[in-house]
C-alpha cells in the first residue's frame, strides 16, 4: 500500500482531528465537554453529557500520547479523567452513571453496560499512558484499579452466568430494569450486539494493558482473559447469524427480538475487534476458530456495504434487504480498519483497494474542510447532512483517530519487522 496514505493519515491525526477536539470540545466553565457541537463549531452549553463521550475522549488522548510518545496529549486526558471520576463515578454502588446535566448533576443514574465498558476501555488506556509517558507507577496503578473496579462490577452484576454475555442495562444499585435501550434509535432489550461487542473491546484493552501497569495482578488478568474468551465464543455462537451478519437485539436466552437490520459498520468493526481479541489471548485453537469467521465477515461487508463506484461504505440494510446508503463518519473509519485487517490476513487486493477508495471518499466528501473534523453523515452523492451535530455525546474523535492510529501502528510494525529481518 502506498506510503502516501500513511503520511496522510498521520497528518489527519496530528494536524486535524486531535487539535480540533482540544479546541472545541471542552466546556471549561463546567470542567466538562459540550454535549453538542454544530457543523460550524457552535457549542451547545445546555446539552446533557454522557459517559460514552467522556470515555472516548479519555481513551483517544491517552492512546495518542502513547502512540506518538507525546506528553502534550496527556493534558486533555487528565482533563477527561478528572471530569469522569468527579461526575460519573458512583461512589456508593460502584460503576458509572449514564449521563449528567450540563452543570454536573446526575441526569440518569442507571448502569448502562455499554457506557461502563467504555469507562474500562478508557481507564485502562489512561493507566498505561501514565506509566509509559510519565513513569508514575503508583498513580498508574490507582487508575488501573479504577478500571478493575468497574470490571468487577460488570462481572458481579451484568454477566449472565446462565446464558452468557452481558445484560443491556441495570438500575443504579445493579438491580433489574425495563429501561434498557441505549438511545432513541434502539429498543428495550435484555441484551444487544452493540453492548456485548464493546464489552469485548474493553476487556481486550484491559487484558493488554494490565500486565505492564500492574504485573503483580496475575489472577485479575486471568479473570479478564477468561471473561474475554467466553465473550468471543458468545459472538461466534449467538450474536453472529448464519449469514455472517450480526443480530442486533436479543432476549436473555439469545432469542433474537426486534428489527433485524444489518449494520454494515458493526459487521466490519466486529471482524477486526474479534481478531484483535483472539490475538491478545494468544490461544492458538481459538485463533484457528476465529480466523475464517472474521475473514468471511469482511468479505460479506465488502460485498454488501462497500460501493466501489463511489468509494463510500453504506450504512445498513433492513429485513427486506433495502439499503440505507448514507455514509456515516464512524462506518467509514471502521471499514478502513476492518478491510486493512482483512488485507493483512489474506493479502487479497480487493481489501486493499477498498481501504484506498474509502480513504479517498473521506478526504473528498466526509471531511468538513471549512470548519474542521468529519461530517456526521454524507449522502451517497457526497452531500453532507448539516443538521446532524459534528460533535457531542455520540460523536467524538474515537473512531477516526483510532482508525489513523490503528493503520499507522500496523504500518510501523510491518516496517520494524522488515528492518529487523534485513539487518
Amino acid at each position: 500500500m502506498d506510503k502516501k496514505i500513511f503520511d496522510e493519515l498521520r497528518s489527519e491525526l496530528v494536524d486535524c482531528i486531535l487539535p480540533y477536539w482540544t479546541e472545541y470540545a471542552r466546556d471549561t466553565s463546567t470542567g466538562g465537554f459540550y454535549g453538542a457541537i454544530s457543523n460550524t463549531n457552535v457549542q451547545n452549553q445546555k446539552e446533557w453529557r454522557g459517559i460514552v463521550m467522556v470515555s472516548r475522549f479519555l481513551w483517544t488522548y491517552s492512546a495518542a500520547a502513547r502512540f506518538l510518545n507525546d506528553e502534550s496529549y496527556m493534558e486533555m486526558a487528565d482533563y477527561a479523567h478528572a471530569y469522569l471520576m468527579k461526575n460519573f463515578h458512583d461512589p456508593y454502588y460502584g460503576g458509572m452513571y449514564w449521563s449528567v446535566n450540563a452543570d454536573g448533576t446526575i441526569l440518569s443514574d442507571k448502569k448502562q453496560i455499554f457506557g461502563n465498558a467504555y469507562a474500562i476501555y478508557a481507564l485502562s488506556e489512561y493507566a498505561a499512558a501514565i506509566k509509559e509517558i510519565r513513569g508514575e507507577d503508583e498513580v498508574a496503578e490507582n487508575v488501573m484499579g479504577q478500571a478493575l473496579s468497574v470490571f468487577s462490577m460488570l462481572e458481579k452484576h451484568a454477566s449472565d452466568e446462565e446464558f452468557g454475555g452481558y445484560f443491556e442495562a441495570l438500575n443504579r444499585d445493579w438491580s433489574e430494569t425495563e429501561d434498557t435501550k441505549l438511545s432513541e434509535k434502539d429498543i428495550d432489550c435484555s441484551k444487544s450486539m452493540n453492548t456485548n461487542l464493546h464489552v469485548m473491546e474493553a476487556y481486550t484493552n484491559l487484558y493488554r494493558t494490565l500486565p505492564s501497569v500492574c504485573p503483580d495482578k496475575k489472577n485479575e488478568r486471568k479473570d479478564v482473559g477468561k471473561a474475554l474468551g467466553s465473550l468471543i465464543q458468545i459472538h461466534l455462537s449467538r450474536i453472529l447469524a448464519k449469514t455472517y451478519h450480526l443480530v442486533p437485539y436479543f432476549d436473555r436466552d439469545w432469542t433474537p427480538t426486534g428489527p433485524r437490520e444489518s449494520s454494515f459498520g458493526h459487521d466490519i468493526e466486529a471482524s477486526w475487534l474479534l481478531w484483535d481479541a483472539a490475538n491478545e489471548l494468544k490461544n492458538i485453537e481459538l485463533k484457528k476458530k476465529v480466523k475464517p469467521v472474521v475473514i468471511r465477515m469482511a468479505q460479506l461487508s465488502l460485498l454488501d456495504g462497500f460501493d466501489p463506484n463511489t468509494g463510500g461504505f453504506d450504512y445498513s440494510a433492513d429485513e427486506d434487504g433495502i439499503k440505507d446508503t448514507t455514509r456515516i463518519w464512524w462506518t467509514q473509519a471502521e471499514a478502513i480498519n476492518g478491510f486493512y485487517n482483512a488485507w493483512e490476513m489474506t493479502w487479497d487486493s480487493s481489501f486493499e483497494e477498498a481501504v484506498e477508495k474509502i480513504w479517498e471518499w473521506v478526504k473528498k466528501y466526509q471531511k468538513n474542510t471549512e470548519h474542521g473534523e468529519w461530517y456526521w453523515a454524507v449522502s451517497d452523492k457526497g452531500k453532507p447532512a448539516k443538521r446532524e451535530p459534528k460533535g457531542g455525546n455520540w460523536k467524538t474523535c474515537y473512531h477516526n483517530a483510532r482508525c489513523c492510529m490503528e493503520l499507522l501502528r500496523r504500518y510501523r510494525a510491518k516496517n520494524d519487522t522488515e528492518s529487523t529481518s534485513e539487518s
Side-chain angles (χ1 to χ4, degrees), residues 160-232:
D160 186 347
E161 293 184 4
E162 183 176 359
F163 295 106
Y166 293 81
F167 297 118
E168 190 69 2
L170 299 163
N171 286 314
R172 179 188 174 185
D173 63 358
W174 302 97
S175 60
E176 292 184 16
T177 179
E178 295 182 357
D179 176 19
T180 65
K181 66 181 178 180
L182 185 62
S183 73
E184 293 304 314
K185 297 180 180 180
D186 294 291
I187 67 169
D188 289 312
C189 62
S190 182
K191 296 170 183 173
S192 77
M193 164 274 294
N194 202 11
T195 288
N196 280 271
L197 175 64
H198 290 290
V199 172
M200 182 181 71
E201 169 191 57
Y203 283 11
T204 301
N205 205 57
L206 181 60
Y207 188 81
R208 177 163 41 225
T209 56
L210 186 54
S212 65
V213 178
C214 302
D216 59 318
K217 293 189 179 295
K218 295 180 180 179
N219 290 334
E220 288 84 348
R221 188 168 188 254
K222 184 178 180 181
D223 291 341
V224 176
K226 181 180 178 181
L228 179 57
S230 297
L231 198 44
I232 293 172

Side-chain angles (χ1 to χ4, degrees), residues 257-404:
T257 186
R260 291 288 295 270
E261 178 181 85
S262 295
S263 172
F264 303 140
H266 285 111
D267 289 346
I268 191 62
E269 182 182 25
S271 73
W272 81 267
L273 289 178
L274 273 165
W275 187 238
D276 188 40
N279 269 295
E280 203 58 51
L281 288 176
K282 295 179 174 59
N283 183 316
I284 295 175
E285 292 305 313
L286 182 61
K287 287 176 65 175
K288 287 180 180 179
K289 190 174 182 180
V290 169
K291 185 175 182 178
V293 173
V294 300
I295 291 173
R296 186 58 178 154
M297 291 173 72
Q299 289 170 336
L300 286 176
S301 295
L302 187 71
L303 178 66
D304 295 340
F306 176 59
D307 178 3
N309 295 319
T310 65
F313 190 74
D314 295 335
Y315 183 58
S316 64
D318 66 16
E319 294 176 87
D320 297 321
I322 299 173
K323 280 189 177 183
D324 180 347
T325 59
T326 309
R327 280 75 196 269
I328 311 296
W329 96 96
W330 71 266
T331 61
Q332 310 312 301
E334 296 305 334
I336 291 172
N337 276 338
F339 290 139
Y340 191 89
N341 179 68
W343 176 61
E344 283 194 328
M345 294 176 73
T346 64
W347 303 116
D348 183 336
S349 61
S350 62
F351 291 126
E352 179 184 21
E353 180 182 357
V355 171
E356 293 171 344
K357 285 191 172 183
I358 296 170
W359 176 239
E360 288 301 313
W361 169 272
V362 168
K363 290 190 298 178
K364 189 172 182 180
Y365 297 112
Q366 208 79 33
K367 285 189 63 174
N368 185 332
T369 54
E370 182 179 2
H371 298 288
E373 243 289 329
W374 298 14
Y375 289 111
W376 177 296
V378 177
S379 75
D380 58 1
K381 302 294 190 296
K383 183 178 180 180
K386 293 185 177 180
R387 290 187 178 182
E388 293 283 2
K390 191 168 59 177
N393 286 310
W394 293 108
K395 184 177 183 297
T396 68
C397 43
Y398 148 77
H399 285 288
N400 52 2
R402 181 171 72 173
C403 169
C404 295

Side-chain angles (χ1 to χ4, degrees), residues 21 24-35 49 53-54 57 76 79-80 82-84 86-88 100-104:
W21 296 100
Y24 292 107
R26 287 186 286 191
D27 178 6
T28 55
S29 67
T30 64
F33 297 92
Y34 294 107
R49 291 97 193 268
M53 172 181 66
V54 180
F57 281 129
M76 184 74 156
Y79 180 92
Y83 185 58
L84 184 148
K86 178 183 177 182
N87 292 276
F88 292 90
V100 299
N101 294 301
D103 63 2

